[in-house]
Amino acid sequence: MSQPTIESILQEKRLFHPPAEFSQNAHITSRDQYQQLYDKAQADPEAFWAELAAQELHWFDQWDKVLDWQPPFAKWFVGGKTNISYNCLDRHLTTWRKNKAALIWEGEPGDSRTLTYAQLHREVCQFANALKQLGVEKGDKVGIYMPMIPEAAIAMLACARIGAPHTVVFGGFSAEALKDRLVDAEAKVVVTADGGWRKEAIVPLKEQVDKAIANNAAPSVQNVLVVKRTGQEIEMQAGRDHWWHEMQADVSANCPAEPMDSEDMLFILYTSGTTGKPKGVVHTTGGYNLYTHMTLKWAFDLKDTDVYWCTADVGWITGHSYIVYGPLSNGATTVMYEGAPRASNPGCFWDVIEKYGVTIFYTAPTAIRAFMKMGDEHPNARDLSSLRLLGTVGEPINPRAWIWYQQIIGGDRCPIIDTWWQTETGGFMITPLPGAIPTKPGSATLPFPGIQADIVDAEGNPVEGNNGGYLVVRHPWPGMMRTVYGDPDRFRRTYWEHIPPKDGQYIYFAGDGAHRDEDGYFWVMGRVDDVINVSGHRLGTMEIESALVSHPAVAEAAVVGKPDELKGEEVVAFVTLEGNQQATEELNKTLKQHVVNEIGAIARPGEIRFTDALPKTRSGKIMRRLLRNLASGQEVAGDTSTLEDRSVLEKLRGGS
Ligand code: PRX
């Protein structure tokens, strides 16, 4: 069940054609139609996107220019005025969708709530007015640190409505990680809850916010808005902290959507990279709205009758693009679930599907593998016949999990779309269009129309045949990130100069390795940089190393990923201690907890190995390749001649 190897994917020849009935009724019905769209977009990307933008979105004012490309900085629909909250709400109210379920929410303890488009609109308007009452103005940033409850989506849409960029911080991040993000984004207000449910326990979110902003550590923060969710006693600081329900009761439900410039910032979302602190990925309004709208509509073949469920958390890009903005812009019914897969409730996902008649289901390989291990009897005991389409995202899916998903969950009738994309890309980049493209287990298949994906070597030369290389994109697309917040140079260096531009041609470097087979299908192999992917969560090895060395007992740390059956990868840390420290079991536990405190539970090392020294080159660079081999119990492969002290390797092999 481990990750696919190059050998295994090259042997994977199974092809699954879309069922004829599915294709007939799909938005994109055939490979020919896909090819026509692809060719049209390739020939004139600007005309392609402009036509869709006019057809699919509401604009207060038309744009003057479709694309302004000053590599690597792009502007889409320049001069156009729109509002994503308007596109997600107001425009549906004049149609029959007014009383359609917009958001169906299932809480962890079994409570639930459904909001129609009219009700959601009302709550968003009220909350937008509450923000205004606290002095939030267009351009002010709002931090959102919430459990998976409707108020998270309401807060995001309210921010978008008044032009206040949000920065959602995953509720599993620690106070320390939250502080870093609030400081970097200069958030004026934080929206949170007293607590959130996480696998039957309460996560004390408000307490974490208090810690994050204590002693003026995040000086921009002036107010905290708190949803009552878990109900335990919490401290409320007079003047600074306010209850959501009290503020909502006091404000009008009339709040017209602010006409935003297409390039006004919609949100900042932090993600891990190779170096330094997480970077604030900036997305803007018009292009992101169009891109999430179109990708969801075509790749998930979205219809008005669908009940669509994406299991991600709103703290990640998948939650932004495909729980909130993409579905609501399309007028769909989107399901939101507070729970998480766990052995003590092995049927939880299947119960939600049965209860609401979910037709489209989108989750991560790590969840699929977890449920697969819990046994077929759980999905088999539920009625999953409402499902018609399945999706996966976040990491390469191993063919065995893919086949299980297809047979046991999809009952052999549902196409599976394996969607490759990133926080930076805003929406799907490589994905099957399910009525048009036959699928192969483990392949994300073909680029979305308008996406010029390619595989190149380190110099940017195209890689021919089934030889692996770097996954790149050659032309700007509307959903692309615009910059790293506050650090345009980092944006340029990380994504656009990693492959040196030739003749003014900039290409986007995704950080993933990939192969392309004889049918032109892409097989994404995983990161080629020092980013690891644990249960679909992206972590920078440097971040975890910084967390470890911030502990006084630690002298040096090197972190690598080790293949893991369920999580995809697991964090393994090699640590050297300060002279007077003993390598005890106790310290091992303390350091793991220290990483949890510094970053969050998702970064907890699975294993910490104490060592006298780390393998380094003569110029002092840690040889992570060797550590990766050691961590996964493999023979150390490749050249070790640059190693400064060979005895270090012998000692590490001995498992000191
Ligand atoms: O390595 C790729 C992996 O997840 C990375 C992006 O992570 P993040 O920005 O957190 O976004 C996750 C959700 C879009 C990519 O660089 N990845 C994502 N989807 C796939 C994938 N790897 C293989 N196949 C996928 N379908």
Side-chain angles (χ1 to χ4, degrees):
M1 250 210 282
S2 60
Q3 291 297 293
T5 60
I6 292 168
E7 291 69 33
S8 76
I9 64 152
L10 295 182
Q11 281 160 16
E12 182 55 66
K13 298 284 182 220
R14 283 171 287 192
L15 193 65
F16 291 79
H17 289 275
E21 206 193 321
F22 190 103
S23 291
Q24 276 156 22
N25 296 313
H27 287 301
I28 315 298
T29 58
S30 65
R31 173 93 196 232
D32 280 354
Q33 196 190 348
Y34 161 80
Q35 201 59 51
Q36 278 165 21
L37 281 169
Y38 189 85
D39 293 346
K40 184 174 157 186
Q42 170 101 355
D44 191 348
E46 294 174 37
F48 175 79
W49 292 116
E51 188 184 330
L52 293 171
Q55 192 180 298
E56 300 284 332
L57 301 185
H58 166 271
W59 296 85
F60 295 104
D61 281 327
Q62 179 74 11
W63 55 87
D64 313 311
K65 192 167 186 211
V66 180
L67 171 65
D68 177 8
W69 179 224
Q70 314 279 342
F73 299 99
K75 291 182 180 161
W76 282 89
F77 310 112
V78 184
K81 298 258 188 256
T82 186
N83 185 299
I84 198 168
S85 162
Y86 187 97
N87 279 315
C88 287
L89 300 167
D90 304 56
R91 64 173 171 155
H92 304 309
L93 302 186
T94 52
T95 72
W96 68 271
R97 293 193 188 108
K98 181 173 181 181
N99 295 317
K100 177 179 175 176
L103 188 67
I104 296 178
W105 172 76
E106 178 76 10
E108 160 73 36
D111 45 347
S112 61
R113 199 175 159 199
T114 297
L115 288 155
T116 64
Y117 272 94
Q119 290 166 330
L120 185 59
H121 173 257
R122 188 182 163 81
E123 296 238 2
V124 168
C125 288
Q126 283 175 317
F127 193 62
N129 280 333
L131 288 172
K132 280 187 189 169
Q133 215 174 75
L134 291 177
V136 176
E137 290 174 3
K138 188 170 169 175
D140 287 340
K141 321 293 184 308
V142 175
I144 299 179
Y145 184 63
M146 291 276 257
M148 280 290 286
I149 55 177
E151 286 81 355
I154 293 168
M156 290 163 75
L157 290 159
C159 288
R161 195 163 187 86
I162 61 172
H166 53 69
T167 184
V168 184
V169 180
F170 172 56
F173 277 123
S174 68
E176 190 61 28
L178 172 64
K179 182 203 73 190
D180 288 345
R181 287 157 175 77
L182 295 176
V183 168
D184 191 79
E186 303 156 294
K188 190 169 181 182
V189 166
V190 182
V191 186
T192 190
D194 50 356
W197 293 105
R198 191 87 194 151
K199 304 190 180 179
E200 289 143 20
I202 289 176
V203 183
L205 294 170
K206 170 63 166 57
E207 213 178 290
Q208 304 275 40
V209 173
D210 290 342
K211 270 193 216 155
I213 64 178
N215 306 321
N216 215 21
S220 57
V221 177
Q222 295 172 6
N223 291 105
V224 180
L225 273 148
V226 188
V227 177
K228 203 184 231 346
R229 168 68 186 132
T230 40
Q232 78 280 17
E233 273 296 310
I234 56 164
E235 269 178 42
M236 295 288 281
Q237 187 177 309
R240 187 195 73 179
D241 302 346
H242 313 268
W243 285 108
W244 169 298
H245 58 271
E246 286 175 6
M247 290 220 63
Q248 286 283 77
D250 264 4
V251 289
S252 131
N254 179 25
C255 178
E258 179 76 25
M260 300 297 292
D261 195 279
S262 175
E263 278 301 326
D264 276 337
M265 193 194 298
L266 176 64
F267 64 82
I268 307 170
L269 185 58
Y270 287 83
T271 192
S272 296
T274 313
T275 51
K277 293 209 176 242
K279 48 197 168 206
V281 170
V282 170
H283 282 286
T284 58
T285 305
Y288 174 85
N289 191 166
L290 178 67
Y291 198 67
T292 51
H293 181 101
M294 284 322 302
T295 45
L296 187 67
K297 182 170 177 171
W298 284 352
F300 272 116
D301 189 42
L302 202 63
K303 306 280 167 50
D304 248 323
T305 44
D306 279 314
V307 178
Y308 162 86
W309 179 25
C310 164
T311 67
D313 190 286
V314 288
W316 310 115
I317 191 70
T318 312
H320 283 58
S321 300
Y322 299 116
I323 296 178
V324 180
Y325 291 119
L328 297 175
S329 180
N330 277 286
T333 296
T334 182
V335 176
M336 192 175 184
Y337 177 51
E338 195 184 15
R342 57 179 192 274
S344 60
N345 191 358
C348 61
F349 273 19
W350 324 127
D351 283 338
V352 174
I353 292 175
E354 185 178 72
K355 180 169 175 188
Y356 297 109
V358 170
T359 58
I360 302 176
F361 178 61
Y362 188 33
T363 196
T366 190
I368 297 169
R369 290 191 295 263
F371 281 111
M372 191 169 154
K373 198 173 167 201
M374 290 177 212
D376 297 358
E377 62 274 23
H378 305 293
N380 286 346
R382 273 81 177 179
D383 179 4
L384 303 181
S385 61
S386 57
L387 288 172
R388 68 179 194 92
L389 178 58
L390 304 173
T392 152
V393 63
E395 54 183 311
I397 182 163
N398 47 312
R400 209 177 131 208
W402 194 101
I403 296 288
W404 184 84
Y405 197 29
Q406 202 265 349
Q407 291 178 345
I408 305 297
I409 306 309
D412 273 332
R413 70 182 180 280
C414 304
I416 295 183
I417 61 162
D418 177 352
T419 59
W420 175 82
W421 60 294
Q422 311 176 294
T423 306
E424 293 87 340
T425 69
F428 310 149
M429 298 296 276
I430 303 181
T431 173
L433 301 185
I437 310 294
T439 52
K440 300 181 187 181
S443 170
T445 76
L446 299 171
F448 195 79
I451 299 305
Q452 298 178 21
D454 204 354
I455 297 177
V456 301
D457 65 18
E459 275 74 51
N461 305 308
V463 170
E464 302 299 338
N466 202 338
N467 295 309
Y470 299 128
L471 186 50
V472 298
V473 186
R474 290 190 181 278
H475 190 272
W477 64 101
M480 65 193 265
M481 74 183 282
R482 298 301 193 259
T483 190
V484 171
Y485 185 64
D487 198 350
D489 255 9
R490 189 170 174 194
F491 172 65
R492 179 196 294 275
R493 279 194 319 269
T494 313
Y495 301 104
W496 299 93
E497 289 180 351
H498 195 97
I499 310 275
K502 270 193 247 165
D503 311 324
Q505 293 290 312
Y506 277 70
I507 49 181
Y508 172 80
F509 171 74
D512 279 314
H515 281 248
R516 193 164 29 194
D517 69 14
E518 59 283 5
D519 296 324
Y521 279 32
F522 285 81
W523 299 78
V524 180
M525 305 305 298
R527 303 291 304 194
V528 291
D529 52 10
D530 289 326
V531 168
I532 52 183
N533 192 326
V534 179
S535 300
H537 299 316
R538 182 168 153 179
L539 297 167
T541 50
M542 285 267 291
E543 268 172 81
I544 307 175
E545 289 164 7
S546 309
L548 283 164
V549 296
S550 73
H551 191 281
V554 176
E556 272 191 307
V559 165
V560 295
K562 162 184 160 181
D564 180 85
E565 268 206 353
L566 285 179
K567 300 184 210 161
E569 278 186 291
E570 177 168 84
V571 175
V572 178
F574 292 83
V575 167
T576 64
L577 295 174
E578 290 292 351
N580 56 348
Q581 295 291 330
Q582 294 300 316
T584 61
E585 197 43 43
E586 193 55 36
L587 183 60
N588 196 309
K589 275 199 203 124
T590 307
L591 292 181
K592 285 180 184 167
Q593 188 53 40
H594 182 68
V595 174
V596 175
N597 298 344
E598 290 291 302
I599 304 175
I602 52 169
R604 183 197 297 271
E607 208 182 309
I608 291 185
R609 294 199 196 174
F610 294 119
T611 169
D612 294 341
L614 293 169
K616 288 186 187 162
T617 61
R618 277 171 213 117
S619 59
K621 248 182 111 186
I622 294 172
M623 293 183 76
R624 287 162 196 285
R625 180 172 52 83
L626 306 187
L627 294 175
R628 266 195 293 273
N629 288 152
L630 287 166
S632 51
Q634 293 164 353
E635 261 312 293
V636 170
D639 186 14
T640 55
S641 59
T642 52
L643 197 60
E644 187 204 29
D645 176 359
R646 297 191 59 82
S647 71
V648 170
L649 190 58
E650 296 315 317
K651 280 194 200 146
L652 280 164
R653 271 203 188 109
S656 67

